[in-house]
Amino acid sequence: MDLEFVERERTPRELIEVGIQLHLAGLSLSNTKQYLENLGVKRSRTAIHNWIQKIDLQPADGASPNRVAVDETAIQIDSDRFWLYAAVDPRINEFLHVDVFPVQNQQFTLVFLRDLREKHHVDDALFLVDAGGHLTAALSRTSLRFQITHGNRNAVERVFREIKRRTSSFSNTFRNAEPTAAESWLRAFAVCWNRCLT
């Protein structure tokens, strides 16, 4: 992990990395704090949260999958509903790209697809989608090949189930969070998910 954001050497870098990985792997901020205390490092939950925000993890660029499972799901950030979009390589169940938008519509779907295309070589890939209107309309507009399916989309559904499981520990919402903080956590989670698979 690139820990260049660390300005003071108050916490050893190795333990910052351990704290980030523990939280993203499933420990709550409180349990991560307690684990670090057992290692002799006293940090607040806020400090651990800030480490995750500052590290700005992103799924790696440059993949060339032959299939891409894409879907969106509603998430709660404070009292507002947002839409999490995710693209997953179903062959290896890894995140390719995640984004959070305030509404679910064709324009934001096009933004998501544009960002995905900038990061990965997906122009020749077959996109696996459900019958949702925004995805199929946006894929048609961008001339990307797609197939409406449910079988091979299990990869993205499995990823969403895990995200829902993790966010249920936050009462299925990101409380007292800005959308950018939730998006940063989700991208960091995607990196952790991908690393755990390899």
Side-chain angles (χ1 to χ4, degrees):
M1 289 186 186
D2 181 9
L3 299 175
E4 291 304 313
F5 67 87
V6 177
E7 296 170 3
R8 298 181 287 164
E9 293 295 327
R10 187 171 165 205
T11 305
R13 290 175 185 252
E14 304 82 40
L15 292 180
I16 292 173
E17 188 169 339
V18 166
I20 291 169
Q21 289 176 343
L22 287 172
H23 178 61
L24 293 174
L27 283 180
S28 68
L29 288 171
S30 295
N31 289 342
T32 302
K33 174 184 179 287
Q34 189 173 27
Y35 186 89
L36 291 174
E37 284 175 358
N38 291 339
L39 297 175
V41 175
K42 290 191 174 201
R43 295 297 169 266
S44 67
R45 292 179 314 188
T46 302
I48 298 165
H49 168 79
N50 289 340
W51 294 343
I52 294 163
Q53 294 302 306
K54 289 178 182 176
I55 197 162
D56 192 32
L57 293 173
Q58 302 277 341
D61 294 355
S64 300
N66 60 2
R67 292 173 183 251
V68 177
V70 179
D71 205 354
E72 72 275 325
T73 189
I75 61 171
Q76 203 68 22
I77 302 176
D78 266 340
S79 60
D80 298 320
R81 177 187 236 183
F82 284 79
W83 291 91
L84 167 63
Y85 282 69
V88 172
D89 180 340
R91 187 177 55 82
I92 55 176
N93 289 339
E94 283 192 4
F95 279 102
L96 297 169
H97 184 58
V98 295
D99 241 327
V100 176
F101 297 110
V103 294
Q104 176 193 39
N105 64 25
Q106 192 176 136
Q107 289 310 110
F108 282 120
T109 305
L110 288 167
V111 169
F112 175 77
L113 292 173
R114 182 203 64 211
D115 293 348
L116 176 65
R117 291 171 91 179
E118 287 176 1
K119 293 175 76 173
H120 300 287
H121 311 286
V122 296
D123 286 344
D124 295 328
L126 177 63
F127 283 77
L128 308 171
V129 297
D130 61 14
H134 299 302
L135 280 172
T136 55
L139 287 163
S140 293
R141 280 186 63 183
T142 56
S143 300
L144 292 168
R145 293 181 314 126
F146 66 91
Q147 177 182 342
I148 297 172
T149 181
H150 295 285
N152 285 333
R153 289 183 60 261
N154 286 343
V156 76
E157 296 296 339
R158 191 172 317 124
V159 167
F160 280 158
R161 272 195 306 275
E162 181 61 17
I163 289 171
K164 296 278 188 182
R165 185 192 71 75
R166 285 298 312 279
T167 58
S168 70
S169 62
F170 316 136
S171 301
N172 207 27
T173 183
F174 292 89
R175 281 181 279 175
N176 303 315
E178 294 294 320
T180 54
E183 185 174 53
S184 178
W185 185 90
L186 287 161
R187 287 183 176 160
F189 172 78
V191 170
C192 181
W193 173 275
N194 290 353
R195 285 184 183 163
C196 290
L197 293 173
T198 57

